[in-house]
Amino acid sequence: MTMLNNVAVVVCDELSAFELGVLCEAFGTDRAKDGFPRYDFAVCSPGGRPVTTKHGFTVQPSHDLDRVEFADLVAVPAIPWAHVPEEVLAQLRKAHERGARVMSVCSGAFVLGQAGLLDGRACTTHWMYADELQRMFPTARVDPNVLYVEDDGVLTSAGTAAGVDLCLYVVRQEHGSAIANKLARRMVVPPHRDGGQAQFVQTPVPISRSDSLEPLLSWMMEHLDEEHTVEDLARRAHMSPRSFARHFRSETGTTPHRWLIGQRILLAQQLLEEGDEPIEAIAARCGFGSAATLRHHFARWRGTTPQAFRSSFRGRRAA
DNA sequence: ACCACTCCCCGCCAAT
DNA sequence: CCATTGGCGGGGAGTG
């Protein structure tokens, strides 16, 4: 995998500004003086012509579609898919064929579908459109229950805000947890949302409410190395275990134990990237009872072993 | 790769 | 009547 440094966003008429904005914020803002990577970033349209938005103003892109050929990452925000020009679809196909990654936000998945990039692949979109996406592209494996998913260089994400999560996922892969967490902090979004998490959450971007579980979640993050039972956690939240489980799911989209494991894996990943501690020690610091348990979950959640992850991350940095 | 043991999770239902 | 709570049981996942 080559280091990400060139990003192209493809836009057409009736564009949604927020989805474009998410991509601009993540990849098109120069934060180099604060230690962030800088990308060669371009918004492209057919012929470089202005495109309309759904909000009554127009956008003047900086480039035409030829620019897409230089990108390592090609992103498609939400645009109506009915009349996307064939030349756009062709560029997306070419990009994927030469090994660039192709991502979409929200209904942008339909554009990838029309380009044939979803055939046989796991993908997602906003839950409102999931059925329609599945009908239009029968061989796609649409999962309406995740925030984002990557399959063979094709990345799709659910409604608007999940696009932020997908961008952070890409940054985490490319530059590591430290940068990704810092970017999340800068954008004031939670760094801790895994792709497999449910779309149906009460507060996608958790607002601090007095009865929110957020203080408990923060506390758990600070104490990942300790053991936690749901009975324990429920007591801490002043609830019965049953009610706690229900509130936990409605706020986070997952269950207490799965959330814990997800956070532990995230921490383990960061420690593997940054230090040279033995796996055994990392397992202990993350709250896994043994290195074997860490390996077990790492395989399930990341698809590799901790060792392999560490060396591939090192290799990518050196390159 | 397996096994035994524990704990989690979720549908169900009655109580509030 | 509806919404929320919380206890129960069993299938299943995590753990060592």
Side-chain angles (χ1 to χ4, degrees):
Chain A
M1 189 190 304
T2 57
M3 189 67 118
L4 174 65
N5 51 37
N6 194 315
V7 179
V9 178
V10 178
V11 296
C12 298
D13 280 330
E14 294 293 295
L15 169 72
S16 291
F18 191 99
E19 279 80 355
L20 174 63
V22 165
L23 296 166
C24 294
E25 186 63 24
F27 300 115
T29 306
D30 187 353
R31 302 184 176 92
K33 59 183 173 302
D34 297 316
F36 288 99
R38 181 183 11 222
Y39 305 109
D40 196 340
F41 177 85
V43 176
C44 318
S45 70
R49 288 183 292 277
V51 297
T52 62
T53 65
K54 297 199 301 193
H55 322 286
F57 63 92
T58 61
V59 169
Q60 173 64 65
S62 53
H63 293 78
D64 64 17
L65 293 177
D66 292 344
R67 172 64 178 73
V68 174
E69 294 171 16
F70 301 100
D72 318 307
L73 176 68
V74 183
V76 182
I79 44 180
W81 52 88
H83 305 105
V84 175
E86 173 56 35
E87 54 178 327
V88 168
L89 305 179
Q91 281 291 9
L92 292 173
R93 276 191 292 268
K94 266 166 59 185
H96 182 261
E97 272 166 32
R98 70 183 156 75
R101 296 210 282 178
V102 180
M103 70 172 271
S104 69
V105 181
C106 197
S107 57
F110 286 85
V111 180
L112 303 195
Q114 284 182 322
L117 294 177
L118 299 186
D119 294 343
R121 298 206 173 92
C123 58
T124 191
T125 188
H126 192 293
W127 54 268
M128 270 175 60
Y129 309 134
D131 283 346
E132 191 173 357
L133 186 68
Q134 185 67 82
R135 252 183 284 119
M136 280 180 68
F137 311 106
T139 61
R141 304 200 315 278
V142 180
D143 188 344
N145 291 317
V146 296
L147 289 178
Y148 55 85
V149 67
E150 169 169 21
D151 188 343
D152 185 28
V154 177
L155 299 80
T156 48
S157 59
T160 356
V164 177
D165 295 294
L166 178 56
C167 291
L168 287 170
Y169 165 82
V170 171
V171 170
R172 185 177 300 273
Q173 274 193 342
E174 293 290 336
H175 311 291
S177 303
I179 298 282
N181 291 345
K182 203 162 119 185
L183 180 59
R185 207 151 50 235
R186 177 65 71 89
M187 293 166 66
V188 197
V189 295
H192 28 74
R193 296 173 89 204
D194 197 82
Q197 209 160 301
Q199 291 190 24
F200 245 108
V201 289
Q202 296 296 8
T203 51
V205 178
I207 311 296
S208 244
R209 287 171 30 194
S210 56
D211 61 343
S212 147
L213 290 177
E214 183 54 41
L216 178 65
L217 297 185
S218 304
W219 180 85
M220 287 166 78
M221 302 260 293
E222 304 284 316
H223 296 83
L224 288 178
D225 55 324
E226 297 164 24
E227 280 192 40
H228 301 288
T229 65
V230 310
E231 197 187 345
D232 241 7
L233 298 168
R235 198 168 20 243
R236 228 166 234 288
H238 311 293
M239 289 180 217
S240 75
R242 189 66 186 86
S243 289
F244 174 68
R246 269 199 283 253
H247 281 113
F248 198 97
R249 173 170 281 285
S250 88
E251 243 185 83
T252 67
T254 184
T255 67
H257 199 234
R258 272 200 276 276
W259 185 90
L260 255 179
I261 294 176
Q263 297 308 313
R264 284 176 169 151
I265 290 294
L266 226 37
L267 177 57
Q269 181 173 338
Q270 185 164 2
L271 295 175
L272 288 165
E273 290 164 4
E274 288 171 359
D276 290 302
E277 284 181 283
I279 307 298
E280 191 78 43
I282 289 181
R285 284 182 56 184
C286 298
F288 292 108
S290 68
T293 306
L294 168 57
R295 288 191 191 96
H296 174 78
H297 289 295
F298 212 88
R300 272 184 59 86
W301 287 60
R302 290 292 182 272
T304 13
T305 67
Q307 281 295 0
F309 176 84
R310 173 179 265 166
S311 48
S312 86
F313 186 80
R314 296 287 152 82
R316 195 135 39 84
R317 312 233 77 178

PDB file of all heavy atoms in Angstrom, chain A residues 8 17 44 65 89 96 111 128 134-135 167 211 228 236 248 253 255 276:
ATOM      1  N   ALA A   8      -8.630  13.127  -4.430  1.00  0.00           N
ATOM      2  CA  ALA A   8      -9.527  13.804  -5.372  1.00  0.00           C
ATOM      3  C   ALA A   8     -10.970  13.534  -4.988  1.00  0.00           C
ATOM      4  O   ALA A   8     -11.336  12.398  -4.710  1.00  0.00           O
ATOM      5  CB  ALA A   8      -9.268  13.320  -6.798  1.00  0.00           C
ATOM      6  N   ALA A  17     -23.752  19.756   0.385  1.00  0.00           N
ATOM      7  CA  ALA A  17     -22.585  20.514   0.853  1.00  0.00           C
ATOM      8  C   ALA A  17     -21.922  19.890   2.081  1.00  0.00           C
ATOM      9  O   ALA A  17     -20.707  19.901   2.217  1.00  0.00           O
ATOM     10  CB  ALA A  17     -22.995  21.960   1.152  1.00  0.00           C
ATOM     11  N   CYS A  44     -13.085  17.880  -8.171  1.00  0.00           N
ATOM     12  CA  CYS A  44     -13.128  17.725  -9.618  1.00  0.00           C
ATOM     13  C   CYS A  44     -14.549  17.531 -10.121  1.00  0.00           C
ATOM     14  O   CYS A  44     -15.342  16.820  -9.498  1.00  0.00           O
ATOM     15  CB  CYS A  44     -12.317  16.490 -10.038  1.00  0.00           C
ATOM     16  SG  CYS A  44     -10.764  16.286  -9.170  1.00  0.00           S
ATOM     17  N   LEU A  65     -11.928  16.129 -14.623  1.00  0.00           N
ATOM     18  CA  LEU A  65     -11.809  14.722 -14.223  1.00  0.00           C
ATOM     19  C   LEU A  65     -10.434  14.118 -14.488  1.00  0.00           C
ATOM     20  O   LEU A  65     -10.099  13.078 -13.917  1.00  0.00           O
ATOM     21  CB  LEU A  65     -12.891  13.893 -14.924  1.00  0.00           C
ATOM     22  CG  LEU A  65     -14.327  14.207 -14.489  1.00  0.00           C
ATOM     23  CD1 LEU A  65     -15.315  13.373 -15.299  1.00  0.00           C
ATOM     24  CD2 LEU A  65     -14.518  13.959 -13.005  1.00  0.00           C
ATOM     25  N   LEU A  89     -18.063   7.635 -14.035  1.00  0.00           N
ATOM     26  CA  LEU A  89     -18.015   6.218 -13.665  1.00  0.00           C
ATOM     27  C   LEU A  89     -16.743   5.572 -14.201  1.00  0.00           C
ATOM     28  O   LEU A  89     -16.098   4.772 -13.516  1.00  0.00           O
ATOM     29  CB  LEU A  89     -19.256   5.491 -14.210  1.00  0.00           C
ATOM     30  CG  LEU A  89     -20.603   6.104 -13.790  1.00  0.00           C
ATOM     31  CD1 LEU A  89     -21.763   5.316 -14.402  1.00  0.00           C
ATOM     32  CD2 LEU A  89     -20.738   6.156 -12.273  1.00  0.00           C
ATOM     33  N   HIS A  96      -9.839   2.572  -9.368  1.00  0.00           N
ATOM     34  CA  HIS A  96      -9.785   1.340  -8.565  1.00  0.00           C
ATOM     35  C   HIS A  96      -8.868   0.312  -9.212  1.00  0.00           C
ATOM     36  O   HIS A  96      -8.113  -0.369  -8.517  1.00  0.00           O
ATOM     37  CB  HIS A  96     -11.189   0.758  -8.382  1.00  0.00           C
ATOM     38  CG  HIS A  96     -11.207  -0.471  -7.535  1.00  0.00           C
ATOM     39  ND1 HIS A  96     -11.260  -1.739  -8.069  1.00  0.00           N
ATOM     40  CD2 HIS A  96     -11.127  -0.626  -6.188  1.00  0.00           C
ATOM     41  CE1 HIS A  96     -11.225  -2.622  -7.074  1.00  0.00           C
ATOM     42  NE2 HIS A  96     -11.162  -1.986  -5.930  1.00  0.00           N
ATOM     43  N   VAL A 111     -23.241   5.844  -6.674  1.00  0.00           N
ATOM     44  CA  VAL A 111     -22.338   6.166  -7.781  1.00  0.00           C
ATOM     45  C   VAL A 111     -21.297   5.064  -7.934  1.00  0.00           C
ATOM     46  O   VAL A 111     -21.016   4.598  -9.044  1.00  0.00           O
ATOM     47  CB  VAL A 111     -21.674   7.532  -7.567  1.00  0.00           C
ATOM     48  CG1 VAL A 111     -20.738   7.859  -8.714  1.00  0.00           C
ATOM     49  CG2 VAL A 111     -22.736   8.619  -7.414  1.00  0.00           C
ATOM     50  N   MET A 128     -31.611   4.577   5.304  1.00  0.00           N
ATOM     51  CA  MET A 128     -32.830   4.848   4.536  1.00  0.00           C
ATOM     52  C   MET A 128     -32.733   4.330   3.102  1.00  0.00           C
ATOM     53  O   MET A 128     -33.732   4.011   2.475  1.00  0.00           O
ATOM     54  CB  MET A 128     -33.105   6.353   4.504  1.00  0.00           C
ATOM     55  CG  MET A 128     -33.969   6.855   5.638  1.00  0.00           C
ATOM     56  SD  MET A 128     -34.099   8.659   5.592  1.00  0.00           S
ATOM     57  CE  MET A 128     -34.852   8.903   3.965  1.00  0.00           C
ATOM     58  N   GLN A 134     -29.449  -2.244  -2.342  1.00  0.00           N
ATOM     59  CA  GLN A 134     -29.409  -3.697  -2.533  1.00  0.00           C
ATOM     60  C   GLN A 134     -30.198  -4.109  -3.776  1.00  0.00           C
ATOM     61  O   GLN A 134     -29.776  -4.977  -4.535  1.00  0.00           O
ATOM     62  CB  GLN A 134     -29.971  -4.400  -1.294  1.00  0.00           C
ATOM     63  CG  GLN A 134     -29.860  -5.920  -1.346  1.00  0.00           C
ATOM     64  CD  GLN A 134     -28.416  -6.388  -1.287  1.00  0.00           C
ATOM     65  OE1 GLN A 134     -27.827  -6.477  -0.226  1.00  0.00           O
ATOM     66  NE2 GLN A 134     -27.831  -6.688  -2.443  1.00  0.00           N
ATOM     67  N   ARG A 135     -31.337  -3.466  -3.995  1.00  0.00           N
ATOM     68  CA  ARG A 135     -32.168  -3.801  -5.155  1.00  0.00           C
ATOM     69  C   ARG A 135     -31.464  -3.427  -6.461  1.00  0.00           C
ATOM     70  O   ARG A 135     -31.465  -4.175  -7.431  1.00  0.00           O
ATOM     71  CB  ARG A 135     -33.518  -3.071  -5.081  1.00  0.00           C
ATOM     72  CG  ARG A 135     -34.684  -4.007  -4.743  1.00  0.00           C
ATOM     73  CD  ARG A 135     -36.012  -3.276  -4.755  1.00  0.00           C
ATOM     74  NE  ARG A 135     -36.215  -2.434  -3.577  1.00  0.00           N
ATOM     75  CZ  ARG A 135     -36.374  -1.123  -3.614  1.00  0.00           C
ATOM     76  NH1 ARG A 135     -36.361  -0.482  -4.777  1.00  0.00           N
ATOM     77  NH2 ARG A 135     -36.545  -0.440  -2.508  1.00  0.00           N
ATOM     78  N   CYS A 167     -13.382   8.798   7.351  1.00  0.00           N
ATOM     79  CA  CYS A 167     -12.166   9.595   7.122  1.00  0.00           C
ATOM     80  C   CYS A 167     -11.142   9.331   8.218  1.00  0.00           C
ATOM     81  O   CYS A 167      -9.946   9.161   7.945  1.00  0.00           O
ATOM     82  CB  CYS A 167     -12.506  11.082   7.067  1.00  0.00           C
ATOM     83  SG  CYS A 167     -13.455  11.575   5.613  1.00  0.00           S
ATOM     84  N   ASP A 211     -27.887  12.834  31.919  1.00  0.00           N
ATOM     85  CA  ASP A 211     -28.118  11.407  32.116  1.00  0.00           C
ATOM     86  C   ASP A 211     -27.353  10.557  31.093  1.00  0.00           C
ATOM     87  O   ASP A 211     -27.627   9.386  30.925  1.00  0.00           O
ATOM     88  CB  ASP A 211     -29.611  11.103  32.022  1.00  0.00           C
ATOM     89  CG  ASP A 211     -30.186  11.473  30.655  1.00  0.00           C
ATOM     90  OD1 ASP A 211     -29.524  12.249  29.929  1.00  0.00           O
ATOM     91  OD2 ASP A 211     -31.269  10.997  30.325  1.00  0.00           O
ATOM     92  N   HIS A 228     -13.716  -5.434  34.002  1.00  0.00           N
ATOM     93  CA  HIS A 228     -15.018  -4.819  34.221  1.00  0.00           C
ATOM     94  C   HIS A 228     -16.114  -5.838  33.953  1.00  0.00           C
ATOM     95  O   HIS A 228     -16.119  -6.486  32.917  1.00  0.00           O
ATOM     96  CB  HIS A 228     -15.215  -3.619  33.291  1.00  0.00           C
ATOM     97  CG  HIS A 228     -14.190  -2.547  33.453  1.00  0.00           C
ATOM     98  ND1 HIS A 228     -14.152  -1.711  34.548  1.00  0.00           N
ATOM     99  CD2 HIS A 228     -13.140  -2.188  32.677  1.00  0.00           C
ATOM    100  CE1 HIS A 228     -13.126  -0.875  34.423  1.00  0.00           C
ATOM    101  NE2 HIS A 228     -12.496  -1.145  33.301  1.00  0.00           N
ATOM    102  N   ARG A 236     -22.117   1.472  38.731  1.00  0.00           N
ATOM    103  CA  ARG A 236     -21.501   2.774  38.538  1.00  0.00           C
ATOM    104  C   ARG A 236     -22.448   3.765  37.868  1.00  0.00           C
ATOM    105  O   ARG A 236     -22.391   4.965  38.113  1.00  0.00           O
ATOM    106  CB  ARG A 236     -20.260   2.621  37.673  1.00  0.00           C
ATOM    107  CG  ARG A 236     -19.049   3.307  38.190  1.00  0.00           C
ATOM    108  CD  ARG A 236     -17.848   2.803  37.459  1.00  0.00           C
ATOM    109  NE  ARG A 236     -16.862   2.337  38.406  1.00  0.00           N
ATOM    110  CZ  ARG A 236     -16.143   3.135  39.187  1.00  0.00           C
ATOM    111  NH1 ARG A 236     -16.285   4.436  39.119  1.00  0.00           N
ATOM    112  NH2 ARG A 236     -15.280   2.634  40.031  1.00  0.00           N
ATOM    113  N   PHE A 248     -27.008   1.436  27.183  1.00  0.00           N
ATOM    114  CA  PHE A 248     -25.693   1.392  26.538  1.00  0.00           C
ATOM    115  C   PHE A 248     -25.857   1.208  25.035  1.00  0.00           C
ATOM    116  O   PHE A 248     -25.223   1.898  24.238  1.00  0.00           O
ATOM    117  CB  PHE A 248     -24.856   0.249  27.128  1.00  0.00           C
ATOM    118  CG  PHE A 248     -23.388   0.390  26.863  1.00  0.00           C
ATOM    119  CD1 PHE A 248     -22.558   0.951  27.820  1.00  0.00           C
ATOM    120  CD2 PHE A 248     -22.841  -0.007  25.652  1.00  0.00           C
ATOM    121  CE1 PHE A 248     -21.200   1.099  27.584  1.00  0.00           C
ATOM    122  CE2 PHE A 248     -21.490   0.138  25.407  1.00  0.00           C
ATOM    123  CZ  PHE A 248     -20.661   0.690  26.367  1.00  0.00           C
ATOM    124  N   GLY A 253     -24.661   2.108  20.324  1.00  0.00           N
ATOM    125  CA  GLY A 253     -24.899   1.237  19.174  1.00  0.00           C
ATOM    126  C   GLY A 253     -24.285  -0.134  19.326  1.00  0.00           C
ATOM    127  O   GLY A 253     -24.333  -0.937  18.399  1.00  0.00           O
ATOM    128  N   THR A 255     -22.823  -3.283  22.499  1.00  0.00           N
ATOM    129  CA  THR A 255     -23.027  -3.782  23.863  1.00  0.00           C
ATOM    130  C   THR A 255     -21.800  -3.448  24.714  1.00  0.00           C
ATOM    131  O   THR A 255     -20.715  -3.215  24.172  1.00  0.00           O
ATOM    132  CB  THR A 255     -23.236  -5.294  23.863  1.00  0.00           C
ATOM    133  OG1 THR A 255     -22.018  -5.931  23.468  1.00  0.00           O
ATOM    134  CG2 THR A 255     -24.364  -5.701  22.928  1.00  0.00           C
ATOM    135  N   ASP A 276       7.919  -0.499  21.536  1.00  0.00           N
ATOM    136  CA  ASP A 276       8.490  -1.811  21.256  1.00  0.00           C
ATOM    137  C   ASP A 276       8.193  -2.786  22.376  1.00  0.00           C
ATOM    138  O   ASP A 276       8.918  -3.764  22.569  1.00  0.00           O
ATOM    139  CB  ASP A 276      10.009  -1.678  21.059  1.00  0.00           C
ATOM    140  CG  ASP A 276      10.315  -0.948  19.757  1.00  0.00           C
ATOM    141  OD1 ASP A 276       9.872  -1.429  18.713  1.00  0.00           O
ATOM    142  OD2 ASP A 276      10.961   0.114  19.809  1.00  0.00           O
TER     143      ASP A 276
END
